[in-house]
Amino acid sequence: MNAHISAFSIDTPLAGLRSEANNNVSTGMPSDLTVSVHVLMSALEADWRALEASNTVSLHQSFDWCASWVATHVDRPLLLRGRLGDRTIFILPLELVRNGLFRTARFIGAPHSNINTGIFAEDLGGLSRETLAECILQELVNKLAHVADIVTLEKIPLEWRGQPHTLASLPSIRNQNASYQLPLLPDFAATLAQLNAKRRRKKFRVSERRMETYGGYDYIIAESLDERRAILDVFLAQKAARFEALELPNVFRDAPTQAFLRAAIAHDGTSESRPLALHALRLRSEADSRIVAIAGVSRKGDHMICQFGSIDETLAADASPGELLFHRIIERACGEGVSLFDFGIGDQPYKRSWCTVETMQYDIVLPLTLRGRVAAGVHRLIVRTKRAIKANRQIYCAVQRFRQRQQGKTAPVSADTDGD
């Protein structure tokens, strides 16, 4: 029996993509599982939006987030869709990049994602996760080996929202970073009780009193597109100053990344689904109404992710405006149906001070060619080396200073967030 492959009647195929039928007897695929590759997001939009509603799907694989990245970074994505009968049960949204000698298929927007899951139906139609994972592995080789050497599915939690990941049975290596979350309860006091509530309230009161010495403040969420753009410009300036002061590489420096952020904030979304909202603290004084703290926050269902943050270190820094802003955001989120506040990937003291959950993330590395086997070995070596470097603070700081010097000598390139 045949495993059907889309003839790309709704897409323009990439040169080299296989489109011939494969025999199910040789691949071991279920007879009614159809896997196809697409290069137009619009071809999958309806199924994509239906599947992404699941709590187990990361915001970073949502249609609007990926569309913003594709519009600013990707000439043509590689979208792997699996259908069981006439029902789509998974989509792997990938992009093709060249890293030196290797052609890599990776999650769309991987450099700036905090947690990746792919897009899988909650009901797999009787297929076990292990069977589907093996089918996906085979089909990645069958479909992409002519255009890619390796597939890297990075930053995947093997268990997420109480469910094992569909691909958890595939070979993986622990990522050099974890992500950090705080479960939210409807009552803010009960949420704080998970932490050192007394210390949290004291820090909040101290920050409030110090902010009063500057004329008070307003907690705002940018509503109009013009206001979002203005606050994003302030964030980029604040972050650039911070990275320069610390002699660290500015991961928001390159033009495509800034264009991606502008595309993401342009989506209005809804109260329960918004790719990127900008929260800020603004001084209330008539003499000075500058913004002293900013956080870029995404929401998908009951999951809220802080994507980035910044403060104006020349003004009101003694009031800890960043901490005060997080307090306000989390307090508001508790009353709006959010059950998980996510500080994202990368170990930072402020994250540990807020979070009770540490989520380990893993990279699934799948070589497609002989060259890909070399790339897989390189990837694993890099991850292990980064883990070792991060475990030694002195070495880590020296590496960051070196990266900053190199960045000044070369053209800007897309880089990871502080979780690199």
PDB file of all heavy atoms in Angstrom, residues 169-182:
ATOM      1  N   SER A 169      10.416   9.888  22.287  1.00  0.00           N
ATOM      2  CA  SER A 169      11.131   8.617  22.123  1.00  0.00           C
ATOM      3  C   SER A 169      12.315   8.722  21.165  1.00  0.00           C
ATOM      4  O   SER A 169      13.136   7.799  21.089  1.00  0.00           O
ATOM      5  CB  SER A 169      10.170   7.536  21.615  1.00  0.00           C
ATOM      6  OG  SER A 169       9.612   7.903  20.359  1.00  0.00           O
ATOM      7  N   LEU A 170      12.437   9.834  20.430  1.00  0.00           N
ATOM      8  CA  LEU A 170      13.548   9.993  19.495  1.00  0.00           C
ATOM      9  C   LEU A 170      14.824  10.384  20.253  1.00  0.00           C
ATOM     10  O   LEU A 170      14.755  10.968  21.340  1.00  0.00           O
ATOM     11  CB  LEU A 170      13.215  11.056  18.445  1.00  0.00           C
ATOM     12  CG  LEU A 170      12.049  10.735  17.505  1.00  0.00           C
ATOM     13  CD1 LEU A 170      11.843  11.876  16.513  1.00  0.00           C
ATOM     14  CD2 LEU A 170      12.274   9.427  16.764  1.00  0.00           C
ATOM     15  N   PRO A 171      16.001  10.076  19.689  1.00  0.00           N
ATOM     16  CA  PRO A 171      17.259  10.430  20.360  1.00  0.00           C
ATOM     17  C   PRO A 171      17.352  11.939  20.578  1.00  0.00           C
ATOM     18  O   PRO A 171      17.004  12.734  19.700  1.00  0.00           O
ATOM     19  CB  PRO A 171      18.335   9.949  19.376  1.00  0.00           C
ATOM     20  CG  PRO A 171      17.655   8.915  18.539  1.00  0.00           C
ATOM     21  CD  PRO A 171      16.236   9.337  18.426  1.00  0.00           C
ATOM     22  N   SER A 172      17.831  12.346  21.759  1.00  0.00           N
ATOM     23  CA  SER A 172      17.902  13.770  22.070  1.00  0.00           C
ATOM     24  C   SER A 172      19.083  14.032  22.992  1.00  0.00           C
ATOM     25  O   SER A 172      19.650  13.121  23.587  1.00  0.00           O
ATOM     26  CB  SER A 172      16.605  14.248  22.736  1.00  0.00           C
ATOM     27  OG  SER A 172      16.397  13.580  23.974  1.00  0.00           O
ATOM     28  N   ILE A 173      19.434  15.303  23.107  1.00  0.00           N
ATOM     29  CA  ILE A 173      20.479  15.745  24.028  1.00  0.00           C
ATOM     30  C   ILE A 173      19.928  16.928  24.807  1.00  0.00           C
ATOM     31  O   ILE A 173      19.206  17.764  24.254  1.00  0.00           O
ATOM     32  CB  ILE A 173      21.777  16.136  23.272  1.00  0.00           C
ATOM     33  CG1 ILE A 173      22.863  16.567  24.249  1.00  0.00           C
ATOM     34  CG2 ILE A 173      21.507  17.233  22.248  1.00  0.00           C
ATOM     35  CD1 ILE A 173      24.216  16.783  23.601  1.00  0.00           C
ATOM     36  N   ARG A 174      20.236  16.988  26.114  1.00  0.00           N
ATOM     37  CA  ARG A 174      19.719  18.086  26.924  1.00  0.00           C
ATOM     38  C   ARG A 174      20.324  19.405  26.462  1.00  0.00           C
ATOM     39  O   ARG A 174      21.541  19.532  26.322  1.00  0.00           O
ATOM     40  CB  ARG A 174      20.013  17.833  28.403  1.00  0.00           C
ATOM     41  CG  ARG A 174      19.414  18.917  29.323  1.00  0.00           C
ATOM     42  CD  ARG A 174      19.396  18.467  30.777  1.00  0.00           C
ATOM     43  NE  ARG A 174      20.735  18.238  31.289  1.00  0.00           N
ATOM     44  CZ  ARG A 174      21.517  19.175  31.806  1.00  0.00           C
ATOM     45  NH1 ARG A 174      21.098  20.446  31.842  1.00  0.00           N
ATOM     46  NH2 ARG A 174      22.715  18.873  32.270  1.00  0.00           N
ATOM     47  N   ASN A 175      19.466  20.378  26.220  1.00  0.00           N
ATOM     48  CA  ASN A 175      19.904  21.705  25.815  1.00  0.00           C
ATOM     49  C   ASN A 175      20.714  22.351  26.939  1.00  0.00           C
ATOM     50  O   ASN A 175      20.548  22.012  28.110  1.00  0.00           O
ATOM     51  CB  ASN A 175      18.687  22.568  25.460  1.00  0.00           C
ATOM     52  CG  ASN A 175      19.064  23.873  24.795  1.00  0.00           C
ATOM     53  OD1 ASN A 175      19.358  24.857  25.462  1.00  0.00           O
ATOM     54  ND2 ASN A 175      19.068  23.890  23.470  1.00  0.00           N
ATOM     55  N   GLN A 176      21.571  23.285  26.571  1.00  0.00           N
ATOM     56  CA  GLN A 176      22.405  23.952  27.577  1.00  0.00           C
ATOM     57  C   GLN A 176      21.597  24.839  28.514  1.00  0.00           C
ATOM     58  O   GLN A 176      22.102  25.287  29.549  1.00  0.00           O
ATOM     59  CB  GLN A 176      23.493  24.792  26.902  1.00  0.00           C
ATOM     60  CG  GLN A 176      22.998  25.985  26.090  1.00  0.00           C
ATOM     61  CD  GLN A 176      22.757  25.628  24.634  1.00  0.00           C
ATOM     62  OE1 GLN A 176      22.629  24.455  24.294  1.00  0.00           O
ATOM     63  NE2 GLN A 176      22.716  26.630  23.775  1.00  0.00           N
ATOM     64  N   ASN A 177      20.332  25.091  28.183  1.00  0.00           N
ATOM     65  CA  ASN A 177      19.491  25.964  28.996  1.00  0.00           C
ATOM     66  C   ASN A 177      18.187  25.279  29.382  1.00  0.00           C
ATOM     67  O   ASN A 177      17.689  24.412  28.655  1.00  0.00           O
ATOM     68  CB  ASN A 177      19.138  27.247  28.226  1.00  0.00           C
ATOM     69  CG  ASN A 177      20.359  28.079  27.922  1.00  0.00           C
ATOM     70  OD1 ASN A 177      21.006  28.602  28.827  1.00  0.00           O
ATOM     71  ND2 ASN A 177      20.699  28.201  26.652  1.00  0.00           N
ATOM     72  N   ALA A 178      17.649  25.701  30.499  1.00  0.00           N
ATOM     73  CA  ALA A 178      16.298  25.318  30.907  1.00  0.00           C
ATOM     74  C   ALA A 178      15.421  26.569  30.819  1.00  0.00           C
ATOM     75  O   ALA A 178      15.909  27.678  30.602  1.00  0.00           O
ATOM     76  CB  ALA A 178      16.303  24.765  32.331  1.00  0.00           C
ATOM     77  N   SER A 179      14.106  26.382  30.979  1.00  0.00           N
ATOM     78  CA  SER A 179      13.193  27.525  31.074  1.00  0.00           C
ATOM     79  C   SER A 179      12.545  27.515  32.455  1.00  0.00           C
ATOM     80  O   SER A 179      12.539  26.490  33.145  1.00  0.00           O
ATOM     81  CB  SER A 179      12.137  27.484  29.963  1.00  0.00           C
ATOM     82  OG  SER A 179      11.357  26.306  30.058  1.00  0.00           O
ATOM     83  N   TYR A 180      11.993  28.662  32.839  1.00  0.00           N
ATOM     84  CA  TYR A 180      11.541  28.850  34.217  1.00  0.00           C
ATOM     85  C   TYR A 180      10.114  29.391  34.236  1.00  0.00           C
ATOM     86  O   TYR A 180       9.806  30.367  33.526  1.00  0.00           O
ATOM     87  CB  TYR A 180      12.496  29.793  34.945  1.00  0.00           C
ATOM     88  CG  TYR A 180      13.899  29.219  35.019  1.00  0.00           C
ATOM     89  CD1 TYR A 180      14.798  29.402  33.968  1.00  0.00           C
ATOM     90  CD2 TYR A 180      14.300  28.455  36.105  1.00  0.00           C
ATOM     91  CE1 TYR A 180      16.066  28.842  34.007  1.00  0.00           C
ATOM     92  CE2 TYR A 180      15.572  27.892  36.152  1.00  0.00           C
ATOM     93  CZ  TYR A 180      16.450  28.089  35.114  1.00  0.00           C
ATOM     94  OH  TYR A 180      17.693  27.533  35.139  1.00  0.00           O
ATOM     95  N   GLN A 181       9.262  28.761  35.055  1.00  0.00           N
ATOM     96  CA  GLN A 181       7.850  29.112  35.090  1.00  0.00           C
ATOM     97  C   GLN A 181       7.340  29.280  36.526  1.00  0.00           C
ATOM     98  O   GLN A 181       7.877  28.685  37.468  1.00  0.00           O
ATOM     99  CB  GLN A 181       7.002  28.031  34.395  1.00  0.00           C
ATOM    100  CG  GLN A 181       7.254  27.859  32.917  1.00  0.00           C
ATOM    101  CD  GLN A 181       8.376  26.905  32.617  1.00  0.00           C
ATOM    102  OE1 GLN A 181       8.656  26.000  33.405  1.00  0.00           O
ATOM    103  NE2 GLN A 181       9.048  27.078  31.472  1.00  0.00           N
ATOM    104  N   LEU A 182       6.284  30.074  36.632  1.00  0.00           N
ATOM    105  CA  LEU A 182       5.552  30.245  37.881  1.00  0.00           C
ATOM    106  C   LEU A 182       4.092  29.891  37.638  1.00  0.00           C
ATOM    107  O   LEU A 182       3.416  30.557  36.844  1.00  0.00           O
ATOM    108  CB  LEU A 182       5.645  31.693  38.376  1.00  0.00           C
ATOM    109  CG  LEU A 182       4.770  32.046  39.601  1.00  0.00           C
ATOM    110  CD1 LEU A 182       5.254  31.288  40.837  1.00  0.00           C
ATOM    111  CD2 LEU A 182       4.769  33.552  39.845  1.00  0.00           C
TER     112      LEU A 182
END
